[in-house]
Amino acid sequence: MTSQVSSPAGRHPGAGPNAHAEPDAQSVPGGRDANAAGGDKEVRRLDRVIIRFAGDSGDGMQLTGDRFTSETASFGNDLSTLPNFPAEIRAPAGTLPGVSSFQLHFADHDILTPGDAPDVLVAMNPAALKANIDDVPRGAEIIVNTDEFAKRAMAKVGYATSPLEDGSLEAYNVHEVPLTTLTVEALKDFDIGRKDAGRSKNMFALGLLSWMYNRPTEQTEHFLRTKFAKKPEVAEANITAFRAGWNFGETTEDFAVSYEVAPASSAFPPGTYRNISGNLALSYGLVAASQQADLPLFLGSYPITPASDILHELSKHKNFGVRTFQAEDEIAGIGAALGAAFGGSLGVTTTSGPGVALKSETIGLAVSLELPLLIVDIQRGGPSTGLPTKTEQADLLQAMYGRNGEAPVPIVAPSTPADCFDAALDAARIALTYRTPVFLLSDGYLANGSEPWRIPETDELPDLRTQFATGPNHELADGTEVFWPYKRDAQTLARPWAVPGTPGLEHRIGGIEKQDGTGNISYDPANHEFMVRTRQAKVDGVEVPDLEVDDATGDATTLVLGWGSTYGPITAAVRRLRRDGVSIAQAHLRHLNPFPGNLGEVLRRYDKVVVPEMNLGQLATLIRATYLVDAQSYTQVTGLPFKAEQLATALKEASNHG
């Protein structure tokens, strides 16, 4: 996802609820105008469309979706994506658990979600059709690869009769296309076997859809030549299949209409935009944080889905002073990151929920040592191994309390894929300013999803520079000047950051309780209580902005409170309700510990508070306990994000029963 254009499309990564002015959040295209184009072909204009590519996990659906997304980003549309794939590297072919899909929602205006239901489904086999047909609305277009609809393949997924012949698809506009046969025919002049030629059918499908929606093609051809630079014959075969798909759409009578979705409205801030995924944005945010702090970045990590992309990306940026260490396990990864923080680096460790469990003891050590450390948790479905490739928000209480003793840690949560960049900078600011480990809670939906991102200018980035201790900081009664490693800043309660090897700054470190000021080992009960309360006070005093509330009319009685990746679905649902005349307020939390200072006042302003979460009510539990507000949970743990229509229905019902 590396397309880059100078365009007003997209939105600023830090945009809040008020930044999205487009009121129409429906997923059904509208505003069509017919224009003549190219012979008998007709071009119809749409304001939005939702496409889902689906097939076996070996059919290249993620690559196909990624390339279509890049084409769309370069054209200047606003977009949002939802990759959905099995946990197995090569899931059982032709089975329902083995289906991989990629959904893309793109529009000529600001959008918030990948869409509730596809307007177009590309089904590469019977399993893909069966797994996705329930999501497809009546009247939508379905493109099926008829070559794969053999009796055995259909029986494997429970089709007693062919859905292409038994009338079960009469409600849809079905295009039966022998994708494999057409691809093999297009590649007949290449010295490759039928099986290898058939593997390029995803490029044929991409070419067809690129014609169908008037997408640019130059970047895809450049990508293929770059990807297969060492195998030029493979590159040319894929490009030939891609072009054949385009030409098929142009010439076949089955596709009499193509569609056009104009670039997004110029109402968005001008600048240079690129398509970016959450994990990539987070990686860039970490690099930017190290540059703005003038500190080397060290990542200690153990590969785990869906966080591994950050390790892969950061390993490419040694030119920015980034060092990556792929450790033998989760414990070694965070231990190395904490050691790097002790040595004066911006220490980072990345993981998902199961890895956080293993890292918990070292996180407690970081709390005790009071060193800056970023713990990036890309949440996934649990418990245990759970659903490795599916999304969830169920690690909030683990981040809050998942350590022995009183070990408070600030928590920051991005709201969109692009917002992961700003959230990384914010987490680094807190860690460096207050000398504390900080949790950054993203999730699989944000990590793998993508949207346009305005590349910020360097002068827009915060100054994160911090001062290391350079000499004695305390005078004893006899006039001797000494270094006290736990003598705190009066405002932030942060202790000095002393780089090992600095003359005169030698001090003890370790997990045993320290004496206030000197840092010496202390078992004194009064000192322990003082240190525990001081560490808590330091986190409680972290400066975070007040919560902004989007209350369009000012007379709403119901507040929808969200956090993390629920931002898009909640905002889309609120738009729908307001369009239908329902007065409802919305607020979204980035800072989950400490909460914004005005949160209690905001909550008490409304008769009803509804908290949608992809867990069983963890934020709602914290809200009830902290503010004694009867926050109502609306929860889901399906491994998939909320749908806007689903949330709109639930929120309307909640607001009507106040």
Side-chain angles (χ1 to χ4, degrees):
M1 305 178 192
T2 57
S3 57
Q4 184 168 310
V5 293
S6 292
S7 164
R11 54 184 172 273
H12 192 278
N18 292 315
H20 303 282
E22 170 59 36
D24 183 7
Q26 287 188 328
S27 60
V28 180
R32 300 184 176 184
D33 293 321
N35 293 308
D40 295 330
K41 296 288 184 176
E42 177 186 343
V43 177
R44 294 180 185 170
R45 289 183 181 164
L46 308 177
D47 65 356
R48 69 174 71 225
V49 72
I50 302 166
I51 298 174
R52 184 182 297 178
F53 298 93
D56 275 335
S57 60
D59 282 339
M61 294 297 93
Q62 302 306 315
L63 175 62
T64 305
D66 176 67
R67 295 319 311 158
F68 196 92
T69 299
S70 291
E71 294 172 2
T72 299
S74 69
F75 189 71
N77 295 118
D78 196 13
L79 60 88
S80 180
T81 68
L82 177 62
N84 189 5
F85 44 87
E88 293 82 7
I89 294 174
R90 186 63 173 96
T95 66
L96 294 176
V99 172
S100 174
S101 67
F102 189 106
Q103 183 161 304
L104 166 68
H105 182 191
F106 61 101
D108 64 4
H109 57 272
D110 175 34
I111 57 175
L112 296 155
T113 74
D116 288 359
D119 303 306
V120 182
L121 171 66
V122 180
M124 303 298 280
N125 60 17
L129 179 65
K130 182 111 183 210
N132 292 280
I133 191 63
D134 288 344
D135 291 338
V136 183
R138 297 169 65 89
E141 301 203 57
I142 300 177
I143 300 172
V144 293
N145 179 16
T146 55
D147 287 326
E148 297 297 324
F149 277 72
K151 184 176 294 186
R152 183 176 179 183
M154 291 187 288
K156 185 183 288 189
V157 295
Y159 280 128
T161 59
S162 172
L164 306 181
E165 300 173 355
D166 62 12
S168 60
L169 299 179
E170 285 183 353
Y172 309 96
N173 185 14
V174 179
H175 303 274
E176 299 183 20
V177 183
L179 291 173
T180 307
T181 298
L182 290 171
T183 303
V184 171
E185 175 65 21
L187 302 182
K188 63 182 179 181
D189 294 334
F190 286 81
D191 186 20
I192 53 177
R194 178 181 176 85
K195 183 176 181 180
D196 288 336
R199 288 174 178 157
S200 295
K201 62 182 179 290
N202 64 321
M203 288 296 104
F204 188 100
L206 177 60
L208 173 58
L209 269 292
S210 297
W211 170 84
M212 194 171 173
Y213 289 95
N214 284 278
R215 300 294 91 186
T217 61
E218 294 82 1
Q219 285 199 15
T220 292
E221 295 194 11
H222 175 74
F223 168 82
L224 291 170
R225 288 195 172 94
T226 302
K227 180 178 177 63
F228 299 109
K230 296 182 178 179
K231 297 180 179 179
E233 69 282 359
V234 175
E236 290 308 313
N238 278 282
I239 291 170
T240 299
F242 176 64
R243 291 175 176 174
W246 176 282
N247 293 333
F248 177 77
E250 181 73 21
T251 58
T252 183
E253 294 182 1
D254 192 37
F255 292 90
V257 178
S258 67
Y259 302 92
E260 187 177 88
V261 180
S265 167
S266 59
F268 299 117
T272 301
Y273 284 79
R274 60 157 296 157
N275 182 49
I276 201 163
S277 68
N279 272 353
L280 185 57
L282 203 156
S283 300
Y284 287 174
L286 292 173
V287 174
S290 74
Q291 293 296 299
Q292 293 302 106
D294 196 22
L295 295 173
L297 175 65
F298 180 91
L299 174 69
S301 182
Y302 181 74
I304 184 171
T305 302
S308 299
D309 290 341
I310 302 171
L311 171 61
H312 301 158
E313 181 60 34
L314 288 180
S315 68
K316 303 173 184 177
H317 297 289
K318 297 180 179 64
N319 56 313
F320 285 112
V322 177
R323 292 186 179 181
T324 54
F325 170 53
Q326 181 173 319
E328 64 269 28
D329 56 36
E330 296 280 7
I331 299 171
I334 189 172
L338 183 57
F342 178 58
S345 295
L346 179 59
V348 182
T349 190
T350 53
T351 189
S352 191
V356 174
L358 292 167
K359 296 178 188 291
S360 62
E361 183 178 5
T362 307
I363 297 171
L365 176 60
V367 171
S368 175
L369 296 180
E370 301 188 47
L371 287 171
L373 176 69
L374 300 185
I375 305 112
V376 179
D377 178 3
I378 313 297
Q379 301 166 95
R380 71 189 205 187
S384 188
T385 310
L387 303 174
T389 60
K390 310 301 180 184
T391 195
E392 208 164 86
Q393 289 182 298
D395 295 352
L396 175 55
L397 294 183
Q398 182 184 33
M400 281 286 293
Y401 303 119
R403 294 165 294 283
N404 64 295
E406 296 289 344
V409 173
I411 302 173
V412 175
S415 58
T416 71
D419 187 45
C420 289
F421 178 87
D422 286 346
L425 285 163
D426 199 11
R429 171 190 68 85
I430 295 171
L432 294 170
T433 302
Y434 297 90
R435 310 284 196 273
T436 178
V438 176
F439 260 100
L440 200 162
L441 287 183
S442 180
D443 61 42
Y445 174 35
L446 296 183
N448 297 315
S450 59
E451 65 177 351
W453 170 58
R454 185 180 71 84
I455 302 173
E457 300 295 333
T458 54
D459 59 7
E460 298 174 9
L461 301 178
D463 184 353
L464 301 180
R465 286 174 294 182
T466 186
Q467 297 296 318
F468 291 114
T470 57
N473 61 357
H474 184 76
E475 185 175 334
L476 300 177
D478 62 2
T480 304
E481 290 188 339
V482 297
F483 175 67
W484 275 14
Y486 283 84
K487 183 172 184 177
R488 303 178 181 280
D489 179 87
Q491 188 171 13
T492 65
L493 298 182
R495 79 173 186 90
W497 194 1
V499 176
T502 305
L505 304 190
E506 298 84 359
H507 62 281
R508 297 174 183 268
I509 63 168
I512 296 178
E513 186 60 278
K514 298 138 190 73
Q515 185 181 51
D516 177 42
T518 68
N520 295 331
I521 291 174
S522 174
Y523 296 101
D524 177 64
N527 177 77
H528 176 59
E529 176 155 2
F530 177 81
M531 293 294 278
V532 167
R533 293 187 181 277
T534 301
R535 288 188 289 261
Q536 182 66 59
K538 180 171 67 169
V539 173
D540 291 342
V542 169
E543 182 179 346
V544 301
D546 279 349
L547 181 66
E548 295 183 8
V549 181
D550 178 14
D551 189 346
T553 61
D555 61 359
T557 59
T558 299
L559 172 71
V560 189
L561 183 67
W563 70 278
S565 66
T566 57
Y567 172 74
I570 288 174
T571 307
V574 167
R575 286 182 182 179
R576 294 189 183 197
L577 292 175
R578 289 176 177 171
R579 186 193 60 207
D580 294 339
V582 178
S583 181
I584 191 166
Q586 176 193 357
H588 208 78
L589 290 167
R590 167 180 281 183
H591 299 96
L592 298 157
N593 193 36
F595 285 131
N598 68 330
L599 178 56
E601 184 271 326
V602 167
L603 295 172
R604 286 186 285 273
R605 231 187 275 167
Y606 296 91
D607 297 338
K608 182 173 294 185
V609 177
V610 183
V611 185
E613 298 180 79
M614 293 188 294
N615 56 47
L616 296 184
Q618 296 187 16
L619 175 60
T621 297
L622 293 174
I623 293 295
R624 293 188 194 109
T626 305
Y627 300 103
L628 302 181
V629 170
D630 185 20
Q632 298 184 18
S633 287
Y634 183 76
T635 63
Q636 171 179 295
V637 281
T638 61
L640 296 170
F642 286 110
K643 293 182 177 180
E645 184 63 34
Q646 163 199 1
L647 268 183
T649 300
L651 295 175
K652 184 174 183 179
E653 182 178 351
S655 62
N656 288 338
H657 292 81

